[in-house]
Amino acid sequence: MALTFFYDFASSYSHLSVLRMDAVRGDVEVSWRPFLLGPIFAAAGLGATPNLSSAAKAAHMWRDLSRRSAVYGLPPFVTPAAFPQRSVAAARAALALPEAVRPAFTRAAFVAQFCDGRNIADPRTLEDAATSAGLDPAAVAAGAASPEAKAALFATTAAAEAAGVFGAPSFVAADGELFWGDDRLEDALAWERRLR
Amino acid sequence: MALTFFYDFASSYSHLSVLRMDAVRGDVEVSWRPFLLGPIFAAAGLGATPNLSSAAKAAHMWRDLSRRSAVYGLPPFVTPAAFPQRSVAAARAALALPEAVRPAFTRAAFVAQFCDGRNIADPRTLEDAATSAGLDPAAVAAGAASPEAKAALFATTAAAEAAGVFGAPSFVAADGELFWGDDRLEDALAWERRLR
């Protein structure tokens, strides 16, 4: 029994959950599952990320992420120059890793993007994230380029869509209950605990 | 100094804030300001309510509102047959009321819509809301039909847009800081308190 944590490396609100997860999950086992929102948005007929649907909404999002990072005691949030970024390589790299080291690599990549203002579509950003997670950057790059990683990302995205996921982050309990958004992380963990 | 509470009578997540406000606001003065989201969505090029942009997102919204109502100890949430409903008459009726009785009428109308499954576009629903708020239903209907109420709703919607509002509920602190969503109600109240 585990709570499935679906995140997209390009998703700004996934950043909050990625950085908060280990501090709040307690004894709940969490399965980290990077996926791609793009195909799900496209299937729903959405051309762009909903958070950018108006200038006012985008402005609030950046302000809100900065405020929430402060409330949670996370490193200062930095709006990256590019948004949303291409997250395919990062997701494939993460899925190619053993599950035990996936959270550390994921955190390093999100910190690079949303605290250091770097672009995760740049291979050097992912190499540096691998290094700071204690991994061999060449092995991580090779994993990301493998056919297995490509297939895993396709399967994970299909699994997310099948679970009803329409945004990120999302959390799916062992009984299939779906929670959307960093604001529902605590609710999702409480739900998963009640299943035991 | 007051926190401005912008809500649309058709907004499902406004329901949570409308019912929670008096229990959480403490000593913060709150100015209740019903407005219309429709013109703001239209100005942003959005054809429909973003929460209905996909079947998966809509399904999660109803489930989430039911779960959150339970978490907050509110009356059971009921998905209304019609959504979104026409909220012009309700908003005009509320704006025609003295500010002191606006919250009670607002709560009664939201309960009718999202707990009793009624339609607020039906004049009888608003008359019953007026009665249960201790008001004269004929006077409330007359207020809603007045030119002053029409002008007030136009002005309130313009003020919301000028404050950067793009969704509901939204909260604007005395210094202009904008918070969107029922999930930010506590943050908005804390911000307003720090301004004093």
Side-chain angles (χ1 to χ4, degrees):
Chain A
M1 297 249 297
L3 181 72
T4 304
F5 172 24
F6 285 110
Y7 58 97
D8 185 322
F9 276 91
S11 154
S12 53
Y13 281 97
S14 293
H15 173 74
L16 299 180
S17 293
V18 162
L19 265 59
R20 297 198 310 120
M21 183 62 84
D22 274 11
V24 298
R25 72 179 176 85
D27 60 351
V28 173
E29 195 185 330
V30 175
S31 175
W32 291 54
R33 292 284 180 267
F35 75 111
L36 294 183
L37 262 178
I40 292 176
F41 284 164
L46 300 174
T49 173
N51 280 321
L52 302 183
S53 60
S54 76
K57 189 167 188 172
H60 176 271
M61 176 181 73
W62 298 122
R63 182 74 178 140
D64 187 56
L65 286 160
S66 177
R67 287 189 308 227
R68 295 308 284 180
S69 293
V71 165
Y72 289 136
L74 304 177
F77 185 90
V78 171
T79 301
F83 182 83
Q85 300 182 357
R86 278 183 59 79
S87 55
V88 175
R92 289 183 184 170
L95 285 168
L97 291 171
E99 286 209 36
V101 296
R102 195 175 292 159
F105 171 77
T106 297
R107 279 190 292 269
F110 271 93
V111 165
Q113 183 181 188
F114 291 115
C115 300
D116 301 333
R118 299 182 64 180
N119 195 320
I120 57 167
D122 180 343
R124 286 170 300 184
T125 303
L126 299 183
E127 288 167 20
D128 290 348
T131 301
S132 74
L135 304 166
D136 172 24
V140 170
S146 70
E148 292 79 7
K150 183 178 181 177
L153 181 54
F154 190 88
T156 306
T157 300
E161 191 165 12
V165 168
F166 58 88
S170 287
F171 313 98
V172 180
D175 65 348
E177 188 78 9
L178 170 68
F179 297 82
W180 169 53
D182 177 70
D183 292 313
R184 295 294 176 273
L185 172 52
E186 281 78 1
D187 283 7
L189 290 165
W191 190 281
E192 182 71 23
R193 273 186 206 104
R194 280 197 301 266
L195 297 178
R196 296 185 296 197
Chain B
M1 298 248 298
L3 182 70
T4 304
F5 172 25
F6 285 111
Y7 57 97
D8 185 320
F9 275 90
S11 154
S12 53
Y13 281 97
S14 292
H15 173 73
L16 299 181
S17 294
V18 162
L19 265 59
R20 297 196 314 116
M21 184 62 84
D22 274 10
V24 298
R25 72 179 177 85
D27 60 352
V28 173
E29 195 184 331
V30 176
S31 175
W32 292 54
R33 290 283 180 268
F35 75 111
L36 294 182
L37 263 177
I40 292 177
F41 284 163
L46 300 173
T49 173
N51 280 322
L52 302 182
S53 60
S54 76
K57 190 167 189 173
H60 175 273
M61 177 180 74
W62 298 121
R63 183 74 177 138
D64 186 56
L65 287 161
S66 177
R67 288 188 309 229
R68 294 308 284 181
S69 293
V71 165
Y72 289 134
L74 304 178
F77 185 90
V78 171
T79 301
F83 181 83
Q85 299 180 359
R86 278 184 58 80
S87 55
V88 175
R92 288 183 184 171
L95 284 168
L97 292 171
E99 286 209 38
V101 296
R102 196 176 291 159
F105 171 76
T106 298
R107 279 190 294 269
F110 271 93
V111 165
Q113 182 181 188
F114 291 116
C115 300
D116 301 333
R118 300 182 63 181
N119 195 320
I120 57 167
D122 180 343
R124 285 169 303 185
T125 304
L126 299 183
E127 286 166 21
D128 290 348
T131 301
S132 74
L135 303 167
D136 172 24
V140 170
S146 69
E148 291 79 9
K150 182 177 181 178
L153 181 53
F154 190 88
T156 305
T157 300
E161 190 164 13
V165 169
F166 57 89
S170 287
F171 313 98
V172 180
D175 65 347
E177 189 78 8
L178 169 70
F179 297 82
W180 169 53
D182 178 69
D183 293 313
R184 295 293 175 272
L185 172 52
E186 281 79 1
D187 283 7
L189 290 166
W191 190 281
E192 183 70 23
R193 272 185 207 104
R194 279 198 302 269
L195 295 179
R196 295 186 295 194

